[in-house]
Amino acid sequence: MKIVYAGKYYLVDSGYPNKERYLAPYKEQRYHISEWQHHQPEGLKEVFNQAHASLRNVIERSFGVLK
């Protein structure tokens, strides 16, 4: 059972649907950090995916440090 708290948003991976309170990346758009090294984002969906990937990277590194 998933508990969703009011006023909170959850950064999720592409396995989750992009619905209310769940922030999933847009499908069929560039996503991974390595894809942004030589290209600037084109359009709002790619800008969102770049920010999502950067934030997810920080979160995963933080969990690695905590382990």
Side-chain angles (χ1 to χ4, degrees), residues 59-67:
I59 291 168
E60 288 186 6
R61 278 191 267 158
S62 298
F63 278 112
V65 169
L66 290 172
K67 281 183 172 182

Side-chain angles (χ1 to χ4, degrees), residues 12 30 35 62:
V12 296
R30 285 186 279 185
E35 297 172 339
S62 298

